[in-house]
Amino acid sequence: MSRMGDVLAGFHAAWEFGTDSVLIRYERGIRTPKLFQALGERRVPLAAFAGVTLSPGKRGTVVLRAEPRPGADPLMEAAAGQLKDAHDPYRLVLPAERESLAERYADGLRSRIDDAGPADRHLVAAPEAPLAFKAYDGKASFDGTTVRFRWFWTGASTAKWKAGDQSFAVTELGGVEWRSPDGLDGHLRLLPRDGTPTTVPADQDPAAVTFGLGYGPVHESLPFAAAVLSAVRGRSTAVPATAVPRRDPADIAERIRHLGELHQAGLVTDEEFSSKKAELLAEL
């Protein structure tokens, strides 16, 4: 293995090798993928590696890639194989003339891998809360113990408006489902603790927010999903929130106005309108 403190610098990132881990530092330049900039740096224990490869890259480069063990990294677990190569935080792209040097480091890492099987717990730290991002139909926020969805009247479906803003303690959840915004059905869905499957489309599911052009980008929604997933895995130490902050009166008034429009359009019944209006007024 290389000496402690050795650094292998590539495009957009540098790997610093320690006795029991690799510290990956990402650049913050304008050409660096935004996901890398959001991550900043990550310390990956050697116990989290399942394998290491070195292969030819594009335009005179080589690619050193570490394969994390299944279940060792909440970010990669949430991504579920959907990340493009350019967004893969375990790829280090190097000039081709450094191939021999990269091979030496790769051999050193391979010699330290003892277990390539699934990890029984997360070994790599998730992004820290609080975190928030704007989806197409609402704003998602996470304070470390509770996920909240606040719907946008310009994007949320009638079903979500009827359900109202949502709050989920991590103790109630069993996992997350992240679908990349690069796809046609991008969304973040919170999965119930009992594992009950759902066939409800994400745009109709109050436990999901949907992505769109410029909404829920990878560098915002994936770290968010990873943080929630990590908290769910460690839910034995999570404490549900007990205090709900008071809402902005102007926001409540706007929501009641939009609810009235839905009522006039016949999309909300008299009973639903009265009930939801009372709920909103109670938040003042």
Side-chain angles (χ1 to χ4, degrees):
M1 184 65 179
S2 55
R3 296 186 307 274
M4 182 175 64
D6 281 359
V7 177
L8 184 60
F11 299 107
H12 307 314
W15 292 13
E16 181 178 330
F17 298 84
T19 56
D20 59 358
S21 65
V22 176
L23 177 61
I24 304 177
R25 292 192 175 95
Y26 303 101
E27 294 179 354
R28 298 186 178 276
I30 58 175
R31 294 185 179 181
T32 301
K34 290 184 178 180
L35 177 60
F36 294 177
Q37 296 184 49
L39 295 175
E41 66 178 40
R42 314 188 79 207
R43 184 171 294 280
V44 183
L46 298 182
F49 290 125
V52 183
T53 61
L54 183 65
S55 59
K58 298 179 180 178
R59 296 185 293 275
T61 63
V62 292
V63 179
L64 177 65
R65 185 181 189 276
E67 178 70 32
R69 293 170 60 190
D73 185 346
L75 188 85
M76 302 305 285
E77 184 178 352
Q82 299 173 75
L83 285 179
K84 295 180 178 179
D85 284 349
H87 291 157
D88 186 345
Y90 286 91
R91 291 177 83 249
L92 182 64
V93 181
L94 302 150
E97 57 266 25
R98 296 187 187 175
E99 182 175 3
S100 297
L101 179 62
E103 184 62 54
R104 189 164 74 247
Y105 281 98
D107 287 341
L109 287 174
R110 293 187 191 108
S111 69
R112 299 291 295 277
I113 295 175
D114 297 322
D115 186 355
D120 59 1
R121 60 186 177 86
H122 289 152
L123 301 174
V124 183
E128 295 184 1
L131 294 166
F133 71 92
K134 288 185 178 180
Y136 174 74
D137 51 6
K139 179 180 179 180
S141 61
F142 179 52
D143 62 6
T145 61
T146 305
V147 181
R148 292 185 174 86
F149 293 158
R150 174 184 172 188
W151 307 122
F152 296 153
W153 70 269
T154 53
S157 64
T158 301
K160 291 184 177 181
W161 268 101
K162 286 184 177 181
D165 293 348
Q166 300 292 300
S167 178
F168 304 86
V170 296
T171 51
E172 304 170 355
L173 303 177
V176 300
E177 177 184 83
W178 182 79
R179 293 291 179 266
S180 173
D182 294 331
L184 297 177
D185 62 344
H187 64 262
L188 172 67
R189 192 195 306 267
L190 304 177
L191 305 178
R193 186 173 182 177
D194 61 9
T196 304
T198 180
T199 58
V200 179
D203 65 336
Q204 302 295 317
D205 186 357
V209 289
T210 59
F211 305 152
L213 185 62
Y215 293 94
V218 172
H219 70 280
E220 294 180 354
S221 61
L222 181 56
F224 185 101
V228 174
L229 181 60
S230 181
V232 169
R233 293 287 186 269
R235 61 176 170 241
S236 60
T237 59
V239 179
T242 57
V244 178
R246 290 188 176 276
R247 299 287 292 277
D248 182 353
D251 179 59
I252 295 294
E254 175 63 22
R255 289 172 178 271
I256 292 176
R257 184 192 67 76
H258 182 64
L259 187 65
E261 293 177 352
L262 295 175
H263 181 232
Q264 292 178 358
L267 299 176
V268 176
T269 65
D270 292 344
E271 182 179 350
E272 290 171 335
F273 173 74
S274 298
S275 175
K276 184 59 183 175
K277 181 179 179 181
E279 289 180 15
L280 291 170
L281 289 173
E283 295 184 22
L284 290 173

